Structure formats: structure tokens, C-alpha cells
Amino acid sequence: MAFRQALQLAACGLAGGSAAVFFSAVAVGKPRAGGDAELRVVEPPAWAGAARPGPGVWDSNWDRREPLSLVNLRKRNLEPGEEELASRLDHYKAKATRHIFLIRHSQYHVDASLEKDRTLTPLGREQAELTGLRLASLGLKFNKIVHSSMTRAIETTDIISKHLPGVCRVSTDLLREGAPIEPDPPVSHWKPEAVQYYEDGARIEAAFRNYIHRADAKQQEDSYEIFICHANVIRYIVCRRCARSFPLRSHTL
């Protein structure tokens, strides 16, 4: 199954960790019949690379892994024939689909001064339990759980993992909460220093490039991967890729 046929995103605990939403996105070049709401384009920061096609135009090389961009046609003095080019392109073509679940950590104690003390509330622990049960009920063979190294994300992962025995866990600093890009329009109650956008933005963009991409050509079977992180990180990932290329449909988990 080609990657462009389905990229699945899940966000758990939006608005304080009280909801679980499943996003199903299909890569299409024009809005679906019946009319999806027009999407507002969020421009990527300078470090995200050159300008991409506008909304409604599929950028086949969105993750810089489009087969044609990986074939070096200059290796030979002569241009390859159609049959040889097709063979070389097939070598780089994704043969499987990555299904990506983005889950926000559960509700936590926001008033603690130290990050290590911002632990889950009783309601947050219940939310994580329900999320774990729901994921387990899907009957999918999850390949791994990648989670932020912040306390609230670790505790959420601990609880969810109990319901997914045998699924390996990977901790990363790249998915820690931050200020990836200045909000537009501005948010009155949240004004990070400019340097924070510079530092956090580069880190969260690195997370996007490292984790959000089509399946490697060597991958033979579809994979199901869970990412447990934070609201701003999830917002950035969704806006950075999805809003520019295809409409989103949301479903309750």
C-alpha cells in the first residue's frame, strides 16, 4: 500500500488531556466531493526548506524521499532508458505504509515549578488507562512507542504500555514540548522569548524530519507506530505537513 493512500494521526488529550481524536488523512490533489472546509495554510519556518506547492497541490517529494529525487541520473554519461529508469525507481519506491498515531500526554499538575514534579493527575492517569485500552482494542500489531523524555509523557507511556505488552519503547528529547513557531495570530497569554522559537523550532523540525516520512523501500509490511508527546509538537507536525497537502477528517477514538 502506498504511503500517500493513508497517513493516520491520533491526538490524545487535547485541551487538557480530556479527549482522544483520530485523524484520517488521504493524500488527494483536490477537495473531496461534498466539500471539506478550506484549510488555512501555515508556512513552515526558514529551516524547513524551499517553498512547497500551495494548498490542494500534492507535493510528492514532501519528505525528500520521492523515488525520482533519489535516483542520480548523472552517474552515467548517457540518460538511462525507460526500462532501466523504471527499475531504478522501483528500487527506491515505498512498498509498505507507516501508520502514525500522535498521542498527547494526559492531564498533569500544571502548577508545579519543576518539570519533574509535573506528574499526571488522577484524571490524567484514568485518561491514559482508557487510551491504552482503546489502542489495544484496535487489534493492531504496534511496532514501537516513541515518547518524549518529559515526566508527563513518560508517565502516560508507562500506563499505555501496560496494555500493549511486548511493544518496544524509545525515549527522545526531540519530542519534548516547546515553541516551534510563533503563533499567527498572536496568543496573548503565551509569549516565549524569541530565542526559544529559534531553539525549539529547529529541534521540533528535526523530530519531524526524523520520524514523519514514508516507509523505507526496504520495509516490506505495514507498520503501526505510536508517538506520545505534547500539544505544540503535534500541532506543528500536523500543520507542517498535512495542512499543505491534503484535507483531514477527524474521528473519535
Side-chain angles (χ1 to χ4, degrees):
M1 184 185 300
F3 180 89
R4 64 179 299 173
Q5 289 180 317
L7 168 63
Q8 296 178 328
L9 303 172
C12 170
L14 301 178
S18 59
V21 179
F22 174 80
F23 293 103
S24 174
V26 181
V28 294
K30 57 185 179 181
R32 291 176 169 272
D36 284 321
E38 182 179 350
L39 294 172
R40 181 174 178 276
V41 179
V42 179
E43 292 293 337
W47 59 78
R52 309 293 203 280
V57 179
W58 172 251
D59 178 7
S60 62
N61 198 25
W62 65 273
D63 59 352
R64 296 302 179 259
R65 299 189 184 206
E66 198 276 328
L68 189 59
S69 70
L70 300 176
V71 174
N72 187 354
L73 297 178
R74 297 182 179 180
K75 278 190 174 182
R76 298 185 173 192
N77 294 328
L78 300 176
E79 291 290 331
E82 290 186 10
E83 186 174 334
E84 181 184 352
L85 177 58
S87 176
R88 291 165 66 180
L89 289 175
D90 187 64
H91 175 73
Y92 292 103
K93 185 181 298 183
K95 302 171 181 61
T97 299
R98 294 180 66 221
H99 300 272
I100 298 172
F101 294 79
L102 296 174
I103 298 178
R104 182 186 184 266
H105 59 78
S106 301
Q107 187 187 74
Y108 67 103
H109 296 283
V110 298
D111 297 329
S113 57
L114 299 178
E115 190 278 320
K116 67 180 182 66
D117 295 325
R118 293 171 188 165
T119 56
L120 298 186
T121 64
L123 175 58
R125 301 187 70 82
E126 182 181 358
Q127 291 167 349
E129 289 281 359
L130 292 173
T131 302
L133 286 168
R134 184 68 182 94
L135 289 169
S137 73
L138 297 177
L140 300 174
K141 183 181 178 182
F142 290 103
N143 298 78
K144 63 181 176 179
I145 300 174
V146 182
H147 63 87
S148 158
S149 56
M150 298 186 83
T151 299
R152 52 191 181 271
I154 294 173
E155 290 192 340
T156 302
T157 303
D158 288 340
I159 296 171
I160 290 177
S161 292
K162 293 190 304 181
H163 301 282
L164 302 171
V167 179
C168 68
R169 295 172 47 171
V170 179
S171 177
T172 177
D173 291 339
L174 291 178
L175 292 174
R176 291 174 73 90
E177 182 63 296
I181 190 170
E182 189 171 356
D184 180 17
V187 179
S188 60
H189 64 279
W190 188 65
K191 295 179 181 290
E193 297 292 330
V195 67
Q196 188 172 349
Y197 292 121
Y198 180 80
E199 295 174 349
D200 292 348
R203 171 177 57 79
I204 296 172
E205 170 65 15
F208 176 87
R209 296 192 184 195
N210 191 50
Y211 295 118
I212 310 301
H213 56 78
R214 74 192 74 191
D216 186 270
K218 297 179 181 178
Q219 183 175 323
Q220 298 298 316
E221 298 180 353
D222 288 2
S223 59
Y224 298 86
E225 304 164 43
I226 297 171
F227 292 81
I228 299 176
C229 49
H230 307 268
N232 285 333
V233 178
I234 293 173
R235 291 188 189 106
Y236 181 83
I237 288 174
V238 172
C239 291
R240 167 74 169 83
R241 181 61 263 152
C242 300
R244 292 195 61 84
S245 299
F246 42 74
L248 294 175
R249 293 172 294 144
S250 63
H251 305 275
T252 303
L253 270 178

